[in-house]
Each structure stands twice: as C-alpha cells, then as structure tokens.
Amino acid sequence: MPLVLAEGIQKNFGSLEVLKGVDLRVEEGEVVAIIGRSGSGKSTLLRIINGLETFDAGILSIDGERRTGLEKDLRPLRLKVGMVFQQFNLFPHLTAGENVMLAPREVKKLSQRAVRELAEETLSKVGLADKFKAYPDQLSGGQQQRVAIARALAMRPKALLCDEITSALDPELVGEVLDVVQRLAAEGMTLIMVTHEMRFARNVGNKLIFMHQGKVHEEGDPRELFAHPKTPELASFTSAIQ
Amino acid sequence: MISFSLWDIVRHLCVGAAWTAGLSLVAFALGGAAGLGVLFARISPRRRLSAPAKAYIEFFQDTPLLMQLFLIFFGFGLLGLDISPLLTAAIGLTLFTSAYLAEIWRGCVEAIPKGQWEASDCLAMSSLQRMRFVILPQALRTAIPPTVGFSVQVVKGTAVTSIIGFMEITKTGSMIANATFKPLLVYALAAVFYFIICFPLSALARRVERRLHAACAR
Ligand SMILES: Nc1ncnc2c1ncn2[C@@H]1O[C@H](COP(=O)(O)OP(=O)(O)O)[C@@H](O)[C@H]1O
Ligand SMILES: [Mg+2]
C-alpha cells in the first residue's frame, strides 16, 4: 500500500483553479522530486498532503488512512508527515537544541533525557552537534535549514515534505543541505521534494513529477524523463533551467 | 470656611494619589488577566468565541469611559443593588483595560509571521501548545512597550471616576479647590501628582522599547 495516495485532487482559490485533478502515488522509501514552473501548484499540492490547505475534490489517503479534508484535528496526520519550508521557519527565541526538543517533549511527552538525546542525535545527523546552544540568528542559512530538517526528523515522521528548501540559500550553502537530504534518502526516508535543483532530482530521485498548469504533466524515472522528455513543455522547462 | 495650609493640601492629595495608584494597579492587574481571556477568544477560529470578543472590544473602545462607569453605576442601581463608587470604578476600569489590552496584544500576536504558526502545526502541536511555546513568547517582546505605555492611559483614566464620586486625586483636588478658592494652585499640585505616577511608567516604556530595538539589531 502506498504511503501517500492522491487521486483527482482539485483545489481552487476563489475562481482560480490551482490543482485540476492531480494523481500522486508515493511508496514507502521512495524519493519523489516535483518540478515545474512557478505557480504550477507544487506548493499547494504539498500543503494539501499535510493539511495546511484543504482540497475541493478528489481522494487522499496517507498511510492507509483516508482524509476527508474536513477533520478538525490534524495532529495524527502531522505525526506521520514532517515538513521543511523554504524559509526555514525556525523558532527564533529558542536555541537549535530547543527547536528540536520542543515538539518531542510537549507533543510526544518524552522525558527530558530522551528528548535531549534525540536532539543530540538528530543534530549530529545534520552535522550540527556543536550548534546545540546557538540561536537561529547566529547560524548561516544552510545551518538553519539543517536545524529545521533535524527538528522535523526528531518527530520520526514516515515521510518528509520539502518545499524548495534550498531556494532561499546563497549558492555556496546549497550543497550542505542537499548532502543531508541525500543521506536521508540513502537511509530509506520517504521524501517528497519540490525542487529547482535538477541535478539533484535526477541523481537522487526515484521518481520525477513534472507539474504544469495544475496537473501532473509528465512523470516517471528521472534519468529517463530528463534524457527523453515526452512533452514539449517539459523539454522547454528543463532546457530553460539548465 | 476651613483654612488649608499648603501642607494640608498636599497631605490630602497624597491620600487621593494613593487611591489613584491603587485603582490603577487593580484595574491593570485584573484587566490584564481578563484581557488575556478576551485575547484568546478574539483570535479563536470559532466565531462563537471571536464575534462576542470583537463586540466587547469595540464597545469599550468606541464609547467614553464615563458612559461605561455610568452604565455600571446606574445599572446596578436598577437591579436594586447599591454599588459604591470604588467598586464601580474598579469594575469599569478593569473592563476598559481588558478590552484595550486584548486589542493591543492581538496586534502583537498577529504580527508573528505565518511561517511560525505553520511550523508549529507541522510539528503536531495543539493550538494551545503553539500559543504557549511559540507565539506568545515572541509576541511578549513586542507587547511590552505598548502595554507599559497603556498603563499611563489607565492612570489618567482614573480621573474620570471623580465624576461618580470616587475620592482619587481629581475628586480630592476639586473638593479642596472649592473649599480654598485656590483652584489653580490645587489643580497644579494635582497635576504634579499625576506626573509623578505617570512619568516613570512612560520612561520605562521608552527604555524597554530602545532595549528591544537594540536586541533586534543583534
Ligand atoms: N492562499 C492562496 N490564496 C490565493 N491564491 C493562492 C494561494 N496560494 C497559492 N495561490 C495561487 O495558486 C497558484 C499555485 O501556487 P503554488 O502552489 O504556490 O505554486 P508553486 O509552488 O508551483 O509555485 C499560484 O497562482 C498562486 O498565486
Ligand atoms: Mg512554491
């Protein structure tokens, strides 16, 4: 059974049709890269998957549980699906360690010792064991984003959603964040990544989704699609971005 | 006619000033606690909570404090309850303060970027946890200067309670002025008393504001 299964998802913002029937199937351990022009609905799709947005039609099930889109309490869903944002969204009044420890302690009610170990473990996983006591404004963008990844991982999600997590970074900091994601992928983490890093999408992804005007326009094996795009839209998109 | 020495005037105004300060303190403490409740109702996604809170805030912001005191004073009278000027003043100013503080704090809470709310949501926090650990600690920093600044308004607002007969600085002053025929002297002294209470508060508000600016530029 797929971890994420979406069929015919539609979403309107007022009169604007943003998603016009999107199908998506993500198996456990899969790394799915979503590419497409700005405004094609990539973020909206991710945000629907973890309930930050509602949807107007279609079927969505996460880890075998059917989402109605009307549930009041989304917390059970959020425990399964973590999210990393373009703008990091670290809590600026908390240190890196506290950022990571907050939700495991308050939401999962783990003991102080357990959350401390968890934070040390996840921070060292992203290469920031020595930044436990640093505040976000004392860290570079790349380091902040890695703390954000550690914060999401500490909740032990079944899947991690990443929305253009390197787009706000200076070019020289992109690599350190992608390295972390690549290591997660190698460990078998299920990843759904909206990205503009085409090389990364091709080399790390198991599946490529090309979105165009609110639809999945093409999907398949990343190397295959990059080498032989079937539609002129994907061909012009990849040639424009490279 | 009773004769008042300068010392007598100051002595009586001192007692009035104590009542002014006490009333302000009570209104600010109780109004702050009630204001937190109004704030939570106001920003609730449930309209059953937010709509009454909005009406409450608008009523107290868009009617004169004096009318609010009259409504309490004569409202209780109509119910056959005899209410003292002190209790009227305390209730009136507390409600007034709670409405203003709720609105000031709402501005600070809503100024916290959307990403902070969404990041908390994505970590499976409840809305209460989100408020307590993420939003309020950040909003608190920006809320301190306007909150301290508003305390000055509360102190000055107590002067209105003189009209319903509460013996604070202004009421004391007007009685002495009538007795001594020296209104200018008496009211000038009364103003000095207000200044002595308010100046440290507004100076504090300015200092906290500067401190926070410096912290932001870190
Ligand atoms: N909250 C919103 N309200 C109105 N329109 C929105 C909202 N969020 C996104 N949109 C619109 O939906 C379209 C798709 O947006 P988005 O999913 O962010 O695209 P992408 O991530 O692919 O750039 C855009 O035209 C955008 O302006
Ligand atoms: Mg986007």
Side-chain angles (χ1 to χ4, degrees):
Chain A
M1 189 173 42
L3 197 54
V4 176
L5 182 65
E7 280 173 11
I9 296 292
Q10 293 178 27
K11 173 69 185 175
N12 309 320
F13 285 115
S15 62
L16 183 70
E17 290 179 61
V18 176
L19 297 181
K20 305 169 187 167
V22 171
D23 300 333
L24 178 72
R25 189 186 175 94
V26 182
E27 304 290 341
E28 215 162 322
E30 226 176 1
V31 177
V32 177
I34 302 177
I35 60 171
R37 275 181 224 293
S38 173
S40 57
K42 308 181 296 295
S43 296
T44 305
L45 178 60
L46 279 198
R47 293 166 59 83
I48 286 173
I49 292 173
N50 78 347
L52 285 177
E53 299 283 358
T54 57
F55 53 100
D56 299 309
I59 294 174
L60 181 60
S61 81
I62 311 288
D63 194 27
E65 278 181 53
R66 174 84 184 268
R67 288 271 320 283
T68 60
L70 297 171
E71 42 281 269
K72 286 238 157 61
D73 188 6
L74 289 161
R75 282 177 292 170
L77 168 69
R78 264 77 181 256
L79 284 171
K80 291 180 179 170
V81 186
M83 179 130 179
V84 185
F85 301 86
Q86 182 175 348
Q87 299 298 339
F88 328 139
N89 295 341
L90 289 182
F91 306 134
H93 59 299
L94 301 178
T95 63
E98 289 163 350
N99 263 277
V100 178
M101 293 191 292
L102 178 60
R105 189 183 67 226
E106 298 302 329
V107 177
K108 291 195 158 177
K109 312 287 182 203
L110 299 182
S111 73
Q112 185 62 29
R113 221 180 83 209
V115 294
R116 175 122 203 146
E117 279 168 13
L118 185 61
E120 279 162 2
E121 177 203 318
T122 47
L123 279 176
S124 63
K125 192 170 210 162
V126 299
L128 292 173
D130 56 329
K131 298 293 183 190
F132 196 95
K133 294 209 165 95
Y135 282 91
D137 65 1
Q138 299 166 325
L139 299 173
S140 73
Q143 291 171 330
Q144 289 187 56
Q145 191 60 294
R146 286 188 282 152
V147 173
I149 293 172
R151 182 175 70 176
L153 289 178
M155 293 300 278
R156 304 253 186 259
K158 292 198 157 190
L160 195 59
L161 311 180
C162 302
D163 191 0
E164 299 199 30
I165 62 171
T166 57
S167 296
L169 298 176
D170 294 334
E172 73 270 20
L173 301 176
V174 168
E176 64 187 57
V177 172
L178 290 183
D179 285 348
V180 167
V181 179
Q182 184 160 7
R183 246 178 291 140
L184 289 178
E187 288 172 15
M189 186 77 202
T190 310
L191 289 166
I192 308 179
M193 288 194 69
V194 172
T195 183
H196 284 301
E197 300 293 328
M198 294 302 140
R199 205 144 45 102
F200 185 83
R202 179 170 47 209
N203 296 338
V204 180
N206 309 124
K207 187 195 266 179
L208 186 74
I209 305 265
F210 172 57
M211 289 196 58
H212 185 66
Q213 297 183 348
K215 283 193 163 159
V216 174
H217 202 69
E218 260 192 73
E219 69 173 298
D221 176 70
R223 287 158 200 275
E224 179 64 28
L225 282 199
F226 278 118
H228 309 288
K230 290 190 280 270
T231 60
E233 288 81 10
L234 178 56
S236 79
F237 178 75
T238 53
S239 66
I241 208 156
Q242 274 160 352
Chain B
M1 189 182 129
I2 324 152
S3 85
F4 275 85
S5 68
L6 184 64
W7 166 242
D8 285 328
I9 298 173
V10 170
R11 201 161 46 94
H12 281 95
L13 284 175
C14 262
V15 176
W19 283 109
T20 292
L23 177 62
S24 305
L25 220 63
V26 166
F28 202 68
L30 298 182
L36 205 59
V38 178
L39 166 72
F40 275 105
R42 178 67 186 86
I43 60 179
S44 163
R46 269 174 258 170
R47 266 191 54 83
R48 278 215 316 274
L49 288 175
S50 69
K54 187 158 178 256
Y56 177 89
I57 291 169
E58 274 167 8
F59 172 78
F60 284 101
Q61 285 198 330
D62 297 341
T63 56
L65 177 58
L66 183 57
M67 290 307 127
Q68 297 160 18
L69 293 175
F70 280 166
L71 287 178
I72 293 166
F73 196 63
F74 297 114
F76 272 88
L78 202 68
L79 295 174
L81 298 168
D82 204 15
I83 185 170
S84 69
L86 170 61
L87 200 56
T88 307
I91 295 174
L93 271 170
T94 296
L95 298 181
F96 168 85
T97 303
S98 69
Y100 271 88
L101 285 181
E103 190 63 7
I104 290 172
W105 293 342
R106 181 175 74 97
C108 299
V109 162
E110 290 184 347
I112 303 299
K114 193 166 146 240
Q116 295 287 310
W117 303 74
E118 292 188 345
S120 319
D121 283 345
C122 288
L123 291 166
M125 285 188 218
S126 68
S127 50
L128 212 62
Q129 290 166 337
R130 181 179 64 191
M131 271 319 258
R132 174 161 166 219
F133 297 109
V134 178
I135 306 302
L136 288 184
Q138 295 184 62
L140 193 67
R141 294 173 63 113
T142 50
I144 290 172
T147 303
V148 178
F150 179 71
S151 69
V152 175
Q153 301 302 318
V154 175
V155 174
K156 293 194 286 188
T158 57
V160 173
T161 64
S162 65
I163 297 176
I164 54 165
F166 179 59
M167 284 292 287
E168 40 63 75
I169 298 178
T170 304
K171 178 72 181 167
T172 308
S174 68
M175 288 176 73
I176 303 173
N178 286 341
T180 59
F181 300 111
K182 289 180 186 155
L184 192 60
L185 171 69
V186 175
Y187 286 127
L189 284 171
V192 168
F193 274 96
Y194 279 113
F195 187 81
I196 289 170
I197 299 175
C198 292
F199 180 74
L201 289 174
S202 49
L204 177 68
R206 276 193 299 275
R207 222 180 95 185
V208 176
E209 175 125 50
R210 266 203 307 277
R211 189 77 70 74
L212 288 180
H213 264 292
C216 285
R218 172 170 67 140

